[in-house]
Amino acid sequence: MSSTVRRVTRFALWSLLAALIAAGVVLWQNSYAMDEQRVSIRHGGHTLNGVLATPRDGRKQHGLVVYIHGDGPVDATHADGYKPLWEANAKAGYASLSWDKPGVAGAPGDWLGQTMDDRADEAAAAIAWARTRPDIDGDRIGLWGASQAGWVLPKIAARTPVSFVIAVSPAINWLRQGRYNLLAELRTDGASPARIQAEVTRSDTVRRLLRRGASFAEFVTAMGGEANGMTAGRWGFIAKNHTADATRDLPALRGIPVLLVLAGHDVNVDIADTERGYRQALDPGGALTVRHFPDATHSLLKQSVERSDLLVTLTALLAPRSLFADGFLDGQRRFLTEVSPASY
């Protein structure tokens, strides 16, 4: 065998070995200490396609964390992004329940047709289903929700008893949140004063259209014939929900242990406004815990990771638990352990 052939053969073997090691690392890092099963939940004449993740701890019954998604077409696992959080729940002795939004991953319906009340009704039905299961402790069922879920969580608590709430980056007022997000993104982009004024003027026009119940066609006309990424479905969703304000619903959480999680680099939600609203509504009950993560983004990812799409992808493959801000997953586990200890 010539030296050239030997070099090529060695290179091929080392490349194969490196690929196998990488595949093993990805498989190991994306294996979680819990069992997952697909479940079906009947609600409103259709089926919610869900995932129930349970701890591998030998106990016959567990508490439950019910997941309420943020905005967008989210599937039950949030493209596997929930799994590190579910594992943290499992370490505290809790199962996790989540489902595909209507119209996502083959689920019936259309999430853009939902109001925040519709979403709360859906979650209440899922909790009622969970309470019929012998492997779920009906007295230890709580909620986890992010971003847009902030308008849904207190509505659920008003419909059915819950033992705790974990609210991650929730907003208080839809319109204030939208304006904050607009200005924060413009500042991040280094927009000129002229561009900022033009975008604010456009936003004011949209608000006037929403107030008078304008159609999607009227919106497009007002925007000079350009939809600017808006769709008829999305316009209808905003029209139904733009008056959302958690202030009037938050009192339903009084006396319930609430963990409010806020990120230091949140350009979507004004965390000062959120913290103020939660403290005004819930501090008298003494059950509110606020945790700040200065280096986190809206999704509670590390800012140093989220700023690079490539880094997000590589971290998700090789070390998905490291996507999140330091202490976030462990803090969630501790909160669950302290608020409602598992019984052995």
Side-chain angles (χ1 to χ4, degrees):
M1 182 182 294
S2 69
S3 60
T4 300
V5 171
R6 283 195 298 271
R7 284 196 299 271
V8 170
T9 300
R10 282 198 300 270
F11 177 78
L13 289 173
W14 278 113
S15 297
L16 177 59
L17 179 59
L20 290 173
I21 291 172
V25 168
V26 170
L27 181 62
W28 173 56
Q29 287 290 336
N30 288 273
S31 298
Y32 297 92
M34 59 192 181
D35 294 316
E36 299 174 41
Q37 59 177 301
R38 275 280 170 181
V39 296
S40 297
I41 303 166
R42 293 295 296 173
H43 168 62
H46 64 269
T47 300
L48 303 177
N49 299 331
V51 173
L52 180 65
T54 53
R56 295 172 182 163
D57 55 16
R59 293 200 299 274
K60 294 182 178 179
Q61 193 175 64
H62 300 96
L64 180 67
V65 184
V66 177
Y67 275 66
I68 311 301
H69 305 308
D71 195 11
V74 185
D75 69 357
T77 71
H78 209 321
D80 289 348
Y82 282 153
K83 291 187 177 183
L85 285 75
W86 294 353
E87 184 180 60
N89 300 340
K91 289 178 180 178
Y94 278 82
S96 302
L97 175 66
S98 180
W99 54 91
D100 303 325
K101 278 192 177 182
V104 176
D110 182 358
W111 67 273
L112 287 170
Q114 292 186 309
T115 65
M116 299 301 108
D117 283 299
D118 293 333
R119 298 195 63 199
D121 289 339
E122 182 181 85
I127 291 171
W129 169 87
R131 287 197 166 109
T132 67
R133 293 181 61 96
D135 56 345
I136 298 299
D137 182 349
D139 293 327
R140 293 194 299 126
I141 296 180
L143 307 173
W144 185 102
S147 195
Q148 189 184 97
W151 293 300
V152 185
L153 297 171
K155 290 179 181 293
I156 300 169
R159 286 161 168 75
T160 186
V162 295
S163 299
F164 56 85
V165 170
I166 300 173
V168 179
S169 304
I172 297 293
N173 177 280
W174 186 292
L175 293 177
R176 285 204 307 270
Q177 179 266 337
R179 181 56 57 87
Y180 173 86
N181 175 231
L182 172 65
L183 295 175
E185 290 191 346
L186 287 169
R187 286 194 298 269
T188 299
D189 291 344
S192 67
R195 182 186 168 202
I196 290 173
Q197 183 56 55
E199 291 293 340
V200 168
T201 299
R202 178 182 179 277
S203 174
D204 288 341
T205 299
V206 171
R207 290 178 179 217
R208 288 194 294 271
L209 291 169
L210 289 169
R211 279 198 299 270
R212 68 179 180 82
S215 67
F216 176 64
E218 290 174 301
F219 163 79
V220 173
T221 299
M223 295 296 107
E226 297 291 334
N228 297 311
M230 184 69 71
T231 65
R234 182 69 183 180
W235 179 257
F237 179 75
I238 295 171
K240 285 191 286 282
N241 293 294
H242 75 280
T243 59
D245 190 322
T247 304
R248 52 182 172 261
D249 296 316
L250 279 173
L253 301 181
R254 285 178 181 161
I256 300 170
V258 174
L259 175 62
L260 176 62
V261 180
L262 301 172
H265 294 281
D266 196 331
V267 298
N268 294 73
V269 168
D270 182 348
I271 62 170
D273 183 55
T274 290
E275 182 170 2
R276 183 167 53 249
Y278 270 70
R279 289 198 182 280
Q280 288 174 352
L282 305 182
D283 261 355
L288 175 66
T289 300
V290 181
R291 291 286 180 265
H292 286 268
F293 292 87
D295 298 325
T297 63
H298 179 65
S299 300
L300 267 293
L301 303 189
K302 294 173 182 172
Q303 188 199 33
S304 59
V305 174
E306 190 176 282
R307 63 171 55 135
S308 165
D309 290 341
L310 176 60
L311 194 53
V312 168
T313 300
L314 289 175
T315 306
L317 283 172
L318 300 175
R321 298 162 187 83
S322 297
L323 285 167
F324 296 97
D326 292 339
F328 172 56
L329 296 177
D330 195 52
Q332 179 171 301
R333 178 193 60 77
R334 287 198 310 271
F335 173 77
L336 291 173
T337 301
E338 293 166 3
V339 78
S340 182
S343 55
Y344 289 84

